[in-house]
Amino acid sequence: MKVHAFGVAKDITGAAMIDFPMEETFVKVKDFKDLLYQKYPDLINLPSLAISVNLFYASEETVINKHDEVALIPPVSGG
Amino acid sequence: MKVHAFGVAKDITGAAMIDFPMEETFVKVKDFKDLLYQKYPDLINLPSLAISVNLFYASEETVINKHDEVALIPPVSGG
Amino acid sequence: MESHIAITTDINIADAYQMLVDPKSGGICTFIGTVRDLNNSKEVNNLFFEAYEKMALLKMEVLAEEAAQKWPLNKIVIIHAIGKKEITEPVVFIGTSSVHRDAAFQSSRYLIDRLKEVVPIWKKETYQDHSTWINAHP
Amino acid sequence: MESHIAITTDINIADAYQMLVDPKSGGICTFIGTVRDLNNSKEVNNLFFEAYEKMALLKMEVLAEEAAQKWPLNKIVIIHAIGKKEITEPVVFIGTSSVHRDAAFQSSRYLIDRLKEVVPIWKKETYQDHSTWINAHP
């Protein structure tokens, strides 16, 4: 699954777009985050990490499929 | 005494600068206004008429002398 | 605090903005009053502004000082137009810059509110068939 | 209500202002965020902004719609800069025009507050010897 990463999350993952290995076709955001934290433990240290799915903030229960546009959203600081 | 008039007060007095006859050297604002209303009765119909003396709003008790810069300030409407 | 106070026939927004730019400021708030086509359901053709310039400038200086005492401001701009103003033209420009946006928003609001109350400037509205001086404050 | 939403490398203040001008509006309020030389007592050399552009634009559209539901607005402009920004440069421009100033002030304040909370844009501060991403919200 292709996952966009921004800001400090991009620095941690090492790329603006990561190809994240997914065995299941569907996965809940909370399970996706567990897998993510295993692969990139430094993400755990962020004050927060939101996940967007198809340009909307997702809840922990939102179900992602591998064709969705997923992004890692560390705390925002625009303006 | 030279008196500046602005806005609707200027329309009523007929000039931006009127030469107002003053017998006394000193006069209180309230007495000046009485004389003014006698000469220009339409000024009484204004919602308010402030008098400025040397660029500051004067109270009814402020004493004017004939060398002061006096102006008729109808309700303001800038901005 | 630096302030720029003026009465002018034409307000240049870009120039006025430049006077607010400041290396210590993170936020700039501006308010621009413009001529609108309708007032109290009457179609407005244009406005005409007259000022008691010396006193108006002094009052605007005093308002800037009041605002600078209430909020930590770096720059203050207050410009009012005089003469004939057509629909959409700016008639007043208020701007403040500060470290944080709270001070910038609050002080700009304060300055336009107070300007409308006390600065000796008068507006005449011209409609299709007549014109009239507006009595706003008090 | 018309809105103009953009993410751009350079914000032109005069152009942004022009998009707020409206014959039905008597008041235009703008807020411009600029790069300041000091943050938390640290000397800032420059800022760098990165956006998740598609999502940021969508969020900004949604915020404009929210503001238009809360206040009677005629025009809304929200522009955010990306890339490297030096001291005093504008990084965000918010503007609203309305019949009266109350709606213009309140909606501009609302839009900048909400933008800082939810729009996916990130700021990296560069100091003398290092740089760091700023974690502001939440």
Side-chain angles (χ1 to χ4, degrees):
Chain A
M1 185 171 66
K2 302 251 185 287
V3 176
H4 295 269
F6 295 96
V8 63
K10 184 176 70 177
D11 289 356
I12 293 170
T13 62
M17 173 78 91
I18 54 177
D19 202 348
F20 196 79
M22 290 270 289
E23 288 174 18
E24 319 282 332
T25 308
F26 299 97
V27 62
K28 284 188 176 178
V29 163
K30 62 182 175 188
D31 299 324
F32 168 67
K33 283 176 86 169
D34 283 343
L35 296 168
L36 202 62
Y37 289 147
Q38 282 170 31
K39 192 161 176 196
Y40 306 103
D42 284 350
L43 290 176
I44 299 168
N45 300 324
L46 296 178
S48 76
L49 181 64
I51 304 296
S52 72
V53 179
N54 301 330
L55 310 183
F56 286 87
Y57 287 112
S59 77
E60 296 286 295
E61 298 298 323
T62 302
V63 174
I64 311 171
N65 79 62
K66 55 178 69 175
H67 303 295
D68 285 331
E69 178 165 334
V70 174
L72 312 186
I73 312 278
V76 300
S77 48
Chain B
M1 187 170 66
K2 301 250 185 289
V3 176
H4 296 268
F6 296 96
V8 64
K10 183 176 70 176
D11 290 357
I12 293 171
T13 61
M17 173 79 89
I18 54 177
D19 202 349
F20 196 79
M22 290 270 290
E23 290 173 16
E24 321 282 334
T25 308
F26 298 97
V27 62
K28 282 191 177 176
V29 164
K30 62 181 175 189
D31 299 324
F32 168 67
K33 284 175 84 170
D34 282 345
L35 296 168
L36 202 62
Y37 289 147
Q38 282 170 30
K39 190 161 179 198
Y40 305 105
D42 284 349
L43 290 175
I44 300 167
N45 299 324
L46 295 178
S48 76
L49 180 65
I51 304 297
S52 71
V53 179
N54 301 330
L55 310 183
F56 287 87
Y57 287 112
S59 77
E60 297 286 296
E61 299 298 325
T62 301
V63 174
I64 312 172
N65 79 63
K66 55 177 68 173
H67 303 296
D68 285 332
E69 178 165 335
V70 174
L72 312 186
I73 313 279
V76 300
S77 49
Chain C
M1 189 275 295
E2 276 177 53
S3 66
H4 177 87
I5 310 286
I7 290 176
T8 176
T9 50
D10 286 293
I11 298 176
N12 182 306
I13 302 293
D15 291 351
Y17 173 76
Q18 275 309 314
M19 291 184 282
L20 292 163
V21 171
D22 179 78
K24 308 213 169 311
S25 295
I28 294 174
C29 180
T30 77
F31 175 80
I32 299 106
T34 56
V35 184
R36 65 174 197 271
D37 57 11
L38 218 64
N39 195 18
N40 299 324
S41 321
K42 281 182 291 191
E43 265 184 58
V44 174
N45 276 12
N46 60 67
L47 300 184
F48 178 85
F49 286 91
E50 174 174 289
Y52 182 9
E53 282 204 33
K54 282 192 296 185
M55 183 174 167
L57 289 167
L58 181 67
K59 276 275 165 211
M60 286 152 76
E61 296 275 6
V62 169
L63 293 183
E65 283 165 22
E66 281 176 20
Q69 275 165 12
K70 287 173 184 281
W71 294 279
L73 304 177
N74 293 321
K75 299 272 177 75
I76 299 178
V77 172
I78 309 177
I79 305 173
H80 204 294
I82 48 172
K84 191 173 169 185
K85 293 286 130 194
E86 307 291 343
I87 309 289
T88 76
E89 277 194 89
V91 303
V92 62
F93 181 101
I94 300 283
T96 56
S97 63
S98 183
V99 175
H100 297 294
R101 66 190 183 284
D102 240 350
F105 270 103
Q106 287 178 31
S107 57
S108 283
R109 182 61 200 263
Y110 174 82
L111 287 169
I112 184 63
D113 287 357
R114 292 287 290 149
L115 180 145
K116 284 171 178 272
E117 285 165 6
V118 302
V119 175
I121 296 179
W122 297 270
K123 171 167 64 180
K124 185 190 255 180
E125 285 188 356
T126 296
Y127 318 105
Q128 303 283 37
D129 49 358
H130 72 295
S131 53
T132 184
W133 289 102
I134 304 301
N135 296 319
H137 298 276
Chain D
M1 190 276 294
E2 275 176 52
S3 65
H4 176 87
I5 310 287
I7 290 175
T8 177
T9 50
D10 287 291
I11 298 176
N12 182 305
I13 301 292
D15 290 352
Y17 173 76
Q18 274 310 314
M19 291 184 281
L20 292 164
V21 171
D22 179 80
K24 307 213 170 310
S25 295
I28 294 175
C29 180
T30 77
F31 175 81
I32 299 106
T34 55
V35 183
R36 67 173 195 270
D37 58 10
L38 218 64
N39 195 16
N40 299 324
S41 322
K42 281 181 292 189
E43 265 184 58
V44 174
N45 275 12
N46 61 68
L47 300 183
F48 177 85
F49 286 91
E50 174 176 289
Y52 181 9
E53 281 204 34
K54 282 192 297 185
M55 184 174 167
L57 290 168
L58 182 65
K59 277 275 165 210
M60 287 151 77
E61 295 276 6
V62 169
L63 294 183
E65 284 165 21
E66 281 176 19
Q69 276 165 12
K70 287 173 185 282
W71 294 280
L73 303 176
N74 293 321
K75 300 274 177 73
I76 300 177
V77 171
I78 309 176
I79 305 175
H80 204 292
I82 49 171
K84 191 173 171 184
K85 293 285 130 195
E86 308 291 343
I87 309 290
T88 75
E89 278 194 89
V91 303
V92 62
F93 180 102
I94 301 281
T96 56
S97 63
S98 184
V99 175
H100 298 295
R101 65 190 184 284
D102 240 351
F105 271 103
Q106 287 178 32
S107 57
S108 282
R109 181 62 199 261
Y110 174 82
L111 286 169
I112 184 63
D113 287 356
R114 292 288 289 150
L115 180 145
K116 283 172 178 272
E117 284 166 7
V118 303
V119 175
I121 297 179
W122 297 270
K123 170 167 65 180
K124 186 191 256 183
E125 286 188 355
T126 296
Y127 318 106
Q128 303 283 37
D129 48 358
H130 71 296
S131 55
T132 183
W133 288 103
I134 304 301
N135 296 319
H137 297 276

